[in-house]
Short mmCIF file of all heavy atoms in Angstrom, two decimals:
data_model
loop_
_atom_site.label_atom_id
_atom_site.label_comp_id
_atom_site.label_asym_id
_atom_site.label_seq_id
_atom_site.Cartn_x
_atom_site.Cartn_y
_atom_site.Cartn_z
N ARG Y 270 -8.81 119.23 -32.75
CA ARG Y 270 -9.75 119.77 -31.75
C ARG Y 270 -10.01 118.70 -30.70
O ARG Y 270 -10.37 117.59 -31.04
CB ARG Y 270 -11.07 120.10 -32.43
CG ARG Y 270 -10.99 121.26 -33.36
CD ARG Y 270 -12.38 121.62 -33.88
NE ARG Y 270 -12.25 122.71 -34.85
CZ ARG Y 270 -12.03 122.50 -36.15
NH1 ARG Y 270 -11.95 121.27 -36.61
NH2 ARG Y 270 -11.88 123.50 -36.99
N THR Y 271 -9.81 119.01 -29.44
CA THR Y 271 -10.06 118.04 -28.37
C THR Y 271 -10.73 118.76 -27.20
O THR Y 271 -10.90 119.95 -27.22
CB THR Y 271 -8.75 117.41 -27.83
OG1 THR Y 271 -8.02 118.45 -27.19
CG2 THR Y 271 -7.96 116.75 -28.88
N TYR Y 272 -11.05 117.93 -26.22
CA TYR Y 272 -11.53 118.49 -24.96
C TYR Y 272 -10.41 119.37 -24.42
O TYR Y 272 -9.30 118.90 -24.28
CB TYR Y 272 -11.85 117.37 -23.96
CG TYR Y 272 -12.02 117.85 -22.55
CD1 TYR Y 272 -13.12 118.59 -22.20
CD2 TYR Y 272 -11.07 117.57 -21.56
CE1 TYR Y 272 -13.30 119.03 -20.93
CE2 TYR Y 272 -11.23 118.01 -20.30
CZ TYR Y 272 -12.36 118.75 -19.96
OH TYR Y 272 -12.52 119.19 -18.67
N GLY Y 273 -10.70 120.58 -24.13
CA GLY Y 273 -9.67 121.46 -23.57
C GLY Y 273 -8.95 122.27 -24.62
O GLY Y 273 -7.94 122.95 -24.32
N GLY Y 274 -9.38 122.25 -25.86
CA GLY Y 274 -8.84 123.12 -26.87
C GLY Y 274 -8.09 122.41 -27.98
O GLY Y 274 -8.32 121.21 -28.20
N TYR Y 275 -7.24 123.14 -28.68
CA TYR Y 275 -6.51 122.56 -29.79
C TYR Y 275 -5.28 121.84 -29.31
O TYR Y 275 -4.49 122.41 -28.55
CB TYR Y 275 -6.08 123.66 -30.76
CG TYR Y 275 -7.21 124.15 -31.64
CD1 TYR Y 275 -7.73 125.44 -31.51
CD2 TYR Y 275 -7.72 123.32 -32.64
CE1 TYR Y 275 -8.74 125.87 -32.34
CE2 TYR Y 275 -8.73 123.76 -33.47
CZ TYR Y 275 -9.25 125.06 -33.31
OH TYR Y 275 -10.25 125.47 -34.12
N ALA Y 276 -5.09 120.63 -29.80
CA ALA Y 276 -3.81 119.93 -29.58
C ALA Y 276 -2.94 120.33 -30.76
O ALA Y 276 -3.20 119.92 -31.89
CB ALA Y 276 -4.02 118.44 -29.52
N LYS Y 277 -1.92 121.10 -30.47
CA LYS Y 277 -1.07 121.64 -31.55
C LYS Y 277 0.01 120.65 -31.89
O LYS Y 277 1.16 120.73 -31.39
CB LYS Y 277 -0.47 122.99 -31.13
CG LYS Y 277 -1.55 123.99 -30.73
CD LYS Y 277 -0.95 125.28 -30.26
CE LYS Y 277 -2.00 126.19 -29.69
NZ LYS Y 277 -2.59 125.72 -28.42
N VAL Y 278 -0.33 119.68 -32.72
CA VAL Y 278 0.58 118.54 -32.91
C VAL Y 278 1.71 118.90 -33.85
O VAL Y 278 2.88 118.86 -33.45
CB VAL Y 278 -0.19 117.32 -33.45
CG1 VAL Y 278 0.78 116.19 -33.74
CG2 VAL Y 278 -1.21 116.88 -32.41
N LEU Y 279 1.43 119.28 -35.06
CA LEU Y 279 2.52 119.63 -35.96
C LEU Y 279 2.84 121.12 -35.85
O LEU Y 279 1.95 121.95 -35.89
CB LEU Y 279 2.16 119.29 -37.41
CG LEU Y 279 1.95 117.82 -37.74
CD1 LEU Y 279 1.91 117.62 -39.22
CD2 LEU Y 279 2.99 116.94 -37.11
N ASP Y 280 4.11 121.41 -35.72
CA ASP Y 280 4.53 122.78 -35.42
C ASP Y 280 5.56 123.23 -36.46
O ASP Y 280 6.69 123.54 -36.14
CB ASP Y 280 5.11 122.79 -34.01
CG ASP Y 280 5.41 124.21 -33.54
OD1 ASP Y 280 4.62 125.10 -33.86
OD2 ASP Y 280 6.44 124.41 -32.89
N GLY Y 281 5.13 123.20 -37.72
CA GLY Y 281 6.05 123.67 -38.75
C GLY Y 281 6.96 122.58 -39.28
O GLY Y 281 8.16 122.60 -39.02
N VAL Y 282 6.39 121.64 -40.01
CA VAL Y 282 7.17 120.53 -40.56
C VAL Y 282 7.60 120.88 -41.97
O VAL Y 282 6.78 121.30 -42.79
CB VAL Y 282 6.37 119.23 -40.54
CG1 VAL Y 282 7.09 118.14 -41.31
CG2 VAL Y 282 6.13 118.78 -39.11
N ASN Y 283 8.90 120.72 -42.27
CA ASN Y 283 9.40 120.89 -43.62
C ASN Y 283 10.00 119.57 -44.04
O ASN Y 283 10.86 119.01 -43.31
CB ASN Y 283 10.46 121.97 -43.66
CG ASN Y 283 9.86 123.33 -43.46
OD1 ASN Y 283 9.12 123.83 -44.31
ND2 ASN Y 283 10.11 123.93 -42.32
N LEU Y 284 9.58 119.11 -45.21
CA LEU Y 284 10.09 117.80 -45.65
C LEU Y 284 9.93 117.71 -47.17
O LEU Y 284 8.90 118.16 -47.67
CB LEU Y 284 9.28 116.73 -44.94
CG LEU Y 284 9.62 115.25 -45.15
CD1 LEU Y 284 9.21 114.48 -43.91
CD2 LEU Y 284 8.90 114.65 -46.33
N PHE Y 285 10.94 117.22 -47.84
CA PHE Y 285 10.75 117.03 -49.29
C PHE Y 285 11.32 115.69 -49.74
O PHE Y 285 12.17 115.10 -49.06
CB PHE Y 285 11.38 118.21 -50.06
CG PHE Y 285 12.86 118.29 -49.91
CD1 PHE Y 285 13.70 117.56 -50.73
CD2 PHE Y 285 13.40 119.13 -48.92
CE1 PHE Y 285 15.06 117.65 -50.56
CE2 PHE Y 285 14.77 119.22 -48.78
CZ PHE Y 285 15.60 118.47 -49.61
N VAL Y 286 10.82 115.22 -50.84
CA VAL Y 286 11.28 113.97 -51.41
C VAL Y 286 11.50 114.15 -52.89
O VAL Y 286 10.65 114.69 -53.59
CB VAL Y 286 10.20 112.85 -51.26
CG1 VAL Y 286 10.82 111.50 -51.61
CG2 VAL Y 286 9.63 112.82 -49.87
N HIS Y 287 12.67 113.72 -53.36
CA HIS Y 287 12.95 113.78 -54.79
C HIS Y 287 12.56 112.47 -55.47
O HIS Y 287 12.31 111.48 -54.78
CB HIS Y 287 14.43 114.03 -55.01
CG HIS Y 287 14.81 115.46 -54.81
ND1 HIS Y 287 14.44 116.45 -55.70
CD2 HIS Y 287 15.49 116.07 -53.80
CE1 HIS Y 287 14.90 117.62 -55.23
NE2 HIS Y 287 15.53 117.40 -54.09
N LYS Y 288 12.55 112.52 -56.75
CA LYS Y 288 12.19 111.29 -57.52
C LYS Y 288 13.22 110.22 -57.23
O LYS Y 288 14.44 110.45 -57.25
CB LYS Y 288 12.19 111.64 -59.00
CG LYS Y 288 11.70 110.48 -59.87
CD LYS Y 288 11.34 110.96 -61.24
CE LYS Y 288 11.06 109.79 -62.19
NZ LYS Y 288 10.14 108.81 -61.61
N GLY Y 289 12.73 109.03 -56.92
CA GLY Y 289 13.62 107.91 -56.70
C GLY Y 289 14.33 107.91 -55.37
O GLY Y 289 15.19 107.06 -55.11
N GLU Y 290 13.99 108.84 -54.52
CA GLU Y 290 14.67 108.96 -53.26
C GLU Y 290 13.97 108.17 -52.16
O GLU Y 290 12.73 108.09 -52.16
CB GLU Y 290 14.73 110.45 -52.85
CG GLU Y 290 15.73 110.72 -51.77
CD GLU Y 290 15.73 112.20 -51.37
OE1 GLU Y 290 14.73 112.90 -51.57
OE2 GLU Y 290 16.77 112.64 -50.84
N LYS Y 291 14.74 107.60 -51.26
CA LYS Y 291 14.13 106.89 -50.13
C LYS Y 291 14.41 107.67 -48.86
O LYS Y 291 15.55 107.87 -48.47
CB LYS Y 291 14.74 105.49 -50.00
CG LYS Y 291 14.45 104.60 -51.24
CD LYS Y 291 14.84 103.18 -50.99
CE LYS Y 291 16.35 102.97 -50.93
NZ LYS Y 291 17.03 103.10 -52.22
N VAL Y 292 13.32 108.19 -48.28
CA VAL Y 292 13.44 109.08 -47.15
C VAL Y 292 12.85 108.45 -45.91
O VAL Y 292 11.80 107.80 -45.98
CB VAL Y 292 12.74 110.42 -47.47
CG1 VAL Y 292 12.50 111.22 -46.24
CG2 VAL Y 292 13.50 111.21 -48.49
N GLY Y 293 13.53 108.61 -44.79
CA GLY Y 293 13.02 108.06 -43.54
C GLY Y 293 12.47 109.17 -42.66
O GLY Y 293 13.03 110.27 -42.62
N LEU Y 294 11.36 108.89 -42.00
CA LEU Y 294 10.83 109.86 -41.02
C LEU Y 294 10.78 109.14 -39.69
O LEU Y 294 9.99 108.23 -39.47
CB LEU Y 294 9.44 110.31 -41.43
CG LEU Y 294 8.73 111.35 -40.56
CD1 LEU Y 294 9.56 112.63 -40.44
CD2 LEU Y 294 7.36 111.71 -41.13
N VAL Y 295 11.73 109.52 -38.79
CA VAL Y 295 11.93 108.76 -37.59
C VAL Y 295 11.51 109.56 -36.37
O VAL Y 295 11.81 110.75 -36.29
CB VAL Y 295 13.42 108.35 -37.44
CG1 VAL Y 295 13.63 107.56 -36.16
CG2 VAL Y 295 13.86 107.57 -38.62
N GLY Y 296 10.82 108.92 -35.48
CA GLY Y 296 10.47 109.61 -34.24
C GLY Y 296 9.70 108.64 -33.37
O GLY Y 296 9.30 107.58 -33.82
N GLU Y 297 9.51 109.05 -32.11
CA GLU Y 297 8.84 108.13 -31.19
C GLU Y 297 7.33 108.27 -31.29
O GLU Y 297 6.81 109.17 -31.95
CB GLU Y 297 9.29 108.43 -29.76
CG GLU Y 297 10.77 108.13 -29.60
CD GLU Y 297 11.24 108.41 -28.20
OE1 GLU Y 297 11.31 109.61 -27.82
OE2 GLU Y 297 11.49 107.47 -27.48
N ALA Y 298 6.64 107.38 -30.62
CA ALA Y 298 5.18 107.39 -30.68
C ALA Y 298 4.66 108.76 -30.27
O ALA Y 298 5.16 109.37 -29.33
CB ALA Y 298 4.63 106.35 -29.71
N GLY Y 299 3.70 109.28 -30.97
CA GLY Y 299 3.09 110.55 -30.63
C GLY Y 299 3.87 111.78 -31.08
O GLY Y 299 3.55 112.88 -30.71
N CYS Y 300 4.93 111.59 -31.92
CA CYS Y 300 5.69 112.75 -32.32
C CYS Y 300 5.06 113.45 -33.53
O CYS Y 300 5.51 114.52 -33.94
CB CYS Y 300 7.14 112.39 -32.60
SG CYS Y 300 7.37 111.52 -34.14
N GLY Y 301 4.06 112.83 -34.15
CA GLY Y 301 3.39 113.49 -35.25
C GLY Y 301 3.78 112.97 -36.62
O GLY Y 301 3.35 113.49 -37.64
N LYS Y 302 4.56 111.87 -36.66
CA LYS Y 302 5.00 111.42 -37.98
C LYS Y 302 3.85 110.83 -38.78
O LYS Y 302 3.73 111.08 -39.98
CB LYS Y 302 6.17 110.40 -37.85
CG LYS Y 302 5.93 109.25 -36.90
CD LYS Y 302 7.25 108.51 -36.63
CE LYS Y 302 7.00 107.16 -35.96
NZ LYS Y 302 6.34 107.21 -34.67
N THR Y 303 2.97 110.10 -38.11
CA THR Y 303 1.80 109.57 -38.85
C THR Y 303 0.84 110.69 -39.24
O THR Y 303 0.32 110.70 -40.36
CB THR Y 303 1.09 108.53 -37.96
OG1 THR Y 303 2.00 107.46 -37.71
CG2 THR Y 303 -0.12 107.96 -38.69
N THR Y 304 0.67 111.68 -38.35
CA THR Y 304 -0.18 112.82 -38.68
C THR Y 304 0.34 113.52 -39.93
O THR Y 304 -0.43 113.87 -40.84
CB THR Y 304 -0.19 113.81 -37.51
OG1 THR Y 304 -0.77 113.18 -36.41
CG2 THR Y 304 -0.97 115.05 -37.83
N THR Y 305 1.65 113.72 -40.00
CA THR Y 305 2.25 114.36 -41.16
C THR Y 305 1.90 113.64 -42.45
O THR Y 305 1.42 114.22 -43.43
CB THR Y 305 3.78 114.39 -41.05
OG1 THR Y 305 4.13 114.87 -39.76
CG2 THR Y 305 4.40 115.24 -42.12
N MET Y 306 2.09 112.32 -42.42
CA MET Y 306 1.90 111.56 -43.66
C MET Y 306 0.42 111.39 -44.00
O MET Y 306 0.04 111.32 -45.17
CB MET Y 306 2.58 110.21 -43.52
CG MET Y 306 4.06 110.33 -43.64
SD MET Y 306 4.53 111.20 -45.14
CE MET Y 306 5.65 112.43 -44.56
N ARG Y 307 -0.41 111.33 -42.96
CA ARG Y 307 -1.84 111.21 -43.25
C ARG Y 307 -2.36 112.55 -43.83
O ARG Y 307 -3.30 112.53 -44.60
CB ARG Y 307 -2.61 110.84 -41.99
CG ARG Y 307 -2.31 109.39 -41.63
CD ARG Y 307 -3.27 108.83 -40.64
NE ARG Y 307 -2.96 107.40 -40.54
CZ ARG Y 307 -3.81 106.46 -40.24
NH1 ARG Y 307 -5.05 106.76 -39.99
NH2 ARG Y 307 -3.44 105.20 -40.21
N SER Y 308 -1.74 113.65 -43.44
CA SER Y 308 -2.18 114.90 -44.06
C SER Y 308 -1.85 114.94 -45.53
O SER Y 308 -2.52 115.61 -46.30
CB SER Y 308 -1.60 116.13 -43.40
OG SER Y 308 -0.97 115.88 -42.21
N VAL Y 309 -0.80 114.24 -45.93
CA VAL Y 309 -0.42 114.23 -47.33
C VAL Y 309 -1.56 113.64 -48.17
O VAL Y 309 -1.88 114.15 -49.24
CB VAL Y 309 0.90 113.46 -47.54
CG1 VAL Y 309 1.17 113.24 -49.04
CG2 VAL Y 309 2.06 114.19 -46.91
N LEU Y 310 -2.16 112.60 -47.67
CA LEU Y 310 -3.26 111.99 -48.41
C LEU Y 310 -4.62 112.53 -47.98
O LEU Y 310 -5.65 112.10 -48.43
CB LEU Y 310 -3.25 110.47 -48.26
CG LEU Y 310 -2.21 109.74 -49.10
CD1 LEU Y 310 -2.23 108.25 -48.83
CD2 LEU Y 310 -2.44 110.00 -50.58
N ARG Y 311 -4.57 113.48 -47.05
CA ARG Y 311 -5.80 114.07 -46.46
C ARG Y 311 -6.74 112.99 -45.97
O ARG Y 311 -7.93 112.97 -46.28
CB ARG Y 311 -6.49 114.99 -47.45
CG ARG Y 311 -5.80 116.32 -47.41
CD ARG Y 311 -6.45 117.51 -48.02
NE ARG Y 311 -7.86 117.52 -48.29
CZ ARG Y 311 -8.38 118.23 -49.31
NH1 ARG Y 311 -7.61 118.91 -50.10
NH2 ARG Y 311 -9.69 118.25 -49.50
N ILE Y 312 -6.22 112.05 -45.17
CA ILE Y 312 -7.07 111.00 -44.63
C ILE Y 312 -7.25 111.14 -43.13
O ILE Y 312 -7.59 110.23 -42.42
CB ILE Y 312 -6.55 109.57 -44.96
CG1 ILE Y 312 -5.07 109.50 -44.66
CG2 ILE Y 312 -6.81 109.22 -46.40
CD1 ILE Y 312 -4.50 108.10 -44.83
N LEU Y 313 -7.01 112.37 -42.64
CA LEU Y 313 -7.30 112.61 -41.22
C LEU Y 313 -8.78 112.99 -41.13
O LEU Y 313 -9.33 113.49 -42.10
CB LEU Y 313 -6.43 113.76 -40.72
CG LEU Y 313 -4.94 113.49 -40.62
CD1 LEU Y 313 -4.17 114.78 -40.47
CD2 LEU Y 313 -4.65 112.56 -39.47
N PRO Y 314 -9.40 112.72 -39.99
CA PRO Y 314 -10.82 113.14 -39.86
C PRO Y 314 -10.96 114.65 -39.96
O PRO Y 314 -10.57 115.38 -39.08
CB PRO Y 314 -11.19 112.65 -38.45
CG PRO Y 314 -9.88 112.44 -37.75
CD PRO Y 314 -8.89 112.11 -38.78
N GLU Y 315 -11.51 115.11 -41.11
CA GLU Y 315 -11.48 116.55 -41.41
C GLU Y 315 -12.18 117.40 -40.38
O GLU Y 315 -11.81 118.57 -40.16
CB GLU Y 315 -12.07 116.78 -42.80
CG GLU Y 315 -11.29 116.03 -43.89
CD GLU Y 315 -10.96 116.89 -45.09
OE1 GLU Y 315 -11.69 117.83 -45.38
OE2 GLU Y 315 -9.93 116.61 -45.73
#
Side-chain angles (χ1 to χ4, degrees):
Chain Y
R270 291 185 183 88
T271 65
Y272 166 70
Y275 282 112
K277 304 177 188 68
V278 176
L279 296 193
D280 187 38
V282 170
N283 289 292
L284 183 151
F285 64 85
V286 191
H287 282 288
K288 186 164 171 49
E290 196 182 23
K291 297 190 290 288
V292 164
L294 182 58
V295 181
E297 295 181 289
C300 74
K302 51 193 194 300
T303 299
T304 297
T305 310
M306 285 307 131
R307 289 195 173 209
S308 348
V309 170
L310 282 178
R311 279 195 18 209
I312 47 175
L313 292 165
E315 300 227 332

